[in-house]
Amino acid sequence: MNGSWAVVTGASSGLGVEFAERLAADGANVLLVARRADLLEAVAERVRSHFGVLAETHPADLTDPAQRAALVTRMAELDVSHLVNNAGFGTMGAFAEIEPERMSQEMELNMVALTELTRAVVPGMVARGSGAIIQVASTAAFQPIPTMAVYAATKAYVKRLGVALWEELRETGVRVVVICPGPTETEFFATAGDDAVMRRRRTPAQVVETTMRALAAHRPLVVDGLPNAAMALATRLAPVALQARLARVVAST
Ligand SMILES: NC(=O)c1ccc[n+]([C@@H]2O[C@H](COP(=O)([O-])OP(=O)(O)OC[C@H]3O[C@@H](n4cnc5c(N)ncnc54)[C@H](OP(=O)(O)O)[C@@H]3O)[C@@H](O)[C@H]2O)c1
């Protein structure tokens, strides 16, 4: 059995489950992180029996600095070959009406936790001359989005950070890829409070396949799905006020 580990955050549902299964199928042991311990254990059980790898659960709320520190301590005891920074959520609605505490948690999880976990694994990966970091951003990263203003801003951060690290680590043997999914069939929209929006969705399997191909090709960033990629490219060409106005229309359809 391989001694290396893939750490997957947000591994209790959606994209995280798919990433964990894919990396386990490729032979990595998996450390599964999220809050819902029962769901993590079910994923771990499936992964052990299907792929014959080790699977450990690490229930944690990554908005809590102490719980993040405990995860970093556990990660330091493992040979981490892959880090998938996938845990995240989005708030939707008028900026002035979103609970301030929920917004802070969104920033803490989507940006601070992702950055701290990345910082924790990079030195070991550089020392070994290998490793892979998958940063889950979003097509929301490409433009300001009224009614999802904080979420889009956190994902723009993930995109910028990830691509900067791709370049910084390019000659160390450590690969970094930023994946920008568009609407995908997970619990994301229910958590955000509006499961009715954006009906045309991709599957987690498609997103993970897109990611793994981009990682293998050493690409810094990939948008999942051709229509999403075309939209992201077109967005970049528009003036910023138009970007925001169009995003508002799309977010409300
Ligand atoms: N679905 C989409 O349309 C879409 C599009 C673009 C980008 N994304 C991004 O994809 C990533 C995965 O989301 P998903 O679509 O798979 O949605 P999801 O099914 O809601 O999964 C989110 C995961 O994050 C975990 N999580 C949430 N809060 C957490 C916390 N405080 N501490 C630890 N873990 C936490 C959840 O587990 P627990 O609840 O058990 O903690 C869950 O495993 C997110 O970063 C999201 O922004 C999604």
Side-chain angles (χ1 to χ4, degrees):
M1 188 181 295
N2 192 335
S4 67
W5 288 76
V7 178
V8 182
T9 70
S12 61
S13 69
L15 293 176
V17 174
E18 196 72 34
F19 273 117
E21 291 184 352
R22 172 63 184 259
L23 291 165
D26 290 348
N29 303 310
V30 289
L31 180 67
L32 307 172
V33 186
R35 291 165 304 178
R36 290 171 292 178
D38 51 337
L39 293 183
L40 288 182
E41 196 41 58
V43 177
E45 197 46 55
R46 213 166 48 242
V47 157
R48 285 183 204 113
S49 63
H50 278 58
F51 307 114
V53 297
L54 300 176
E56 182 178 316
T57 62
H58 186 101
D61 183 341
L62 295 177
T63 65
D64 177 355
Q67 294 188 44
R68 290 201 297 271
L71 172 60
V72 165
T73 300
R74 179 64 189 125
M75 285 162 59
E77 295 163 351
L78 303 172
D79 171 9
V80 178
S81 60
H82 292 74
L83 170 64
V84 185
N85 269 314
N86 164 74
F89 75 91
T91 51
M92 266 185 204
F95 180 81
E97 289 166 17
I98 294 167
E99 279 297 315
E101 195 188 334
R102 190 92 179 120
M103 267 184 195
S104 297
Q105 289 169 344
E106 185 179 18
M107 294 187 284
E108 193 82 12
L109 181 63
N110 296 4
M111 297 188 293
V112 181
L114 173 141
T115 308
E116 284 183 9
L117 297 182
T118 302
R119 175 63 182 81
V121 297
V122 163
M125 287 181 173
V126 170
R128 282 194 306 276
S130 69
I133 301 171
I134 294 170
Q135 309 288 32
V136 180
S138 168
T139 48
F142 289 97
Q143 66 284 296
I145 306 186
T147 73
M148 290 189 87
V150 173
Y151 179 69
T154 66
K155 292 301 182 178
Y157 171 88
V158 174
K159 177 161 86 70
R160 284 291 165 102
L161 179 82
V163 175
L165 292 181
W166 173 84
E167 171 58 27
E168 203 173 310
L169 298 172
R170 201 158 51 87
E171 286 169 8
T172 66
V174 180
R175 286 173 291 157
V176 181
V177 69
V178 177
I179 169 72
C180 298
T184 306
E185 200 51 65
T186 69
E187 294 179 11
F188 178 84
F189 290 100
T191 302
D194 192 349
D195 204 23
V197 293
M198 300 192 178
R199 283 255 160 249
R200 261 184 309 140
R201 298 180 192 171
R202 302 265 295 170
T203 65
Q206 288 174 314
V207 174
V208 169
E209 181 59 27
T210 298
T211 309
M212 300 314 283
R213 280 192 193 178
L215 190 64
H218 294 237
R219 290 177 61 189
L221 178 138
V222 65
V223 178
D224 175 61
L226 206 55
N228 292 328
M231 186 89 96
L233 181 64
T235 297
R236 266 176 283 179
L237 304 174
V240 74
L242 184 61
Q243 288 178 14
R245 212 157 296 157
L246 289 176
R248 182 174 204 168
V249 173
V250 172
S252 64
T253 56

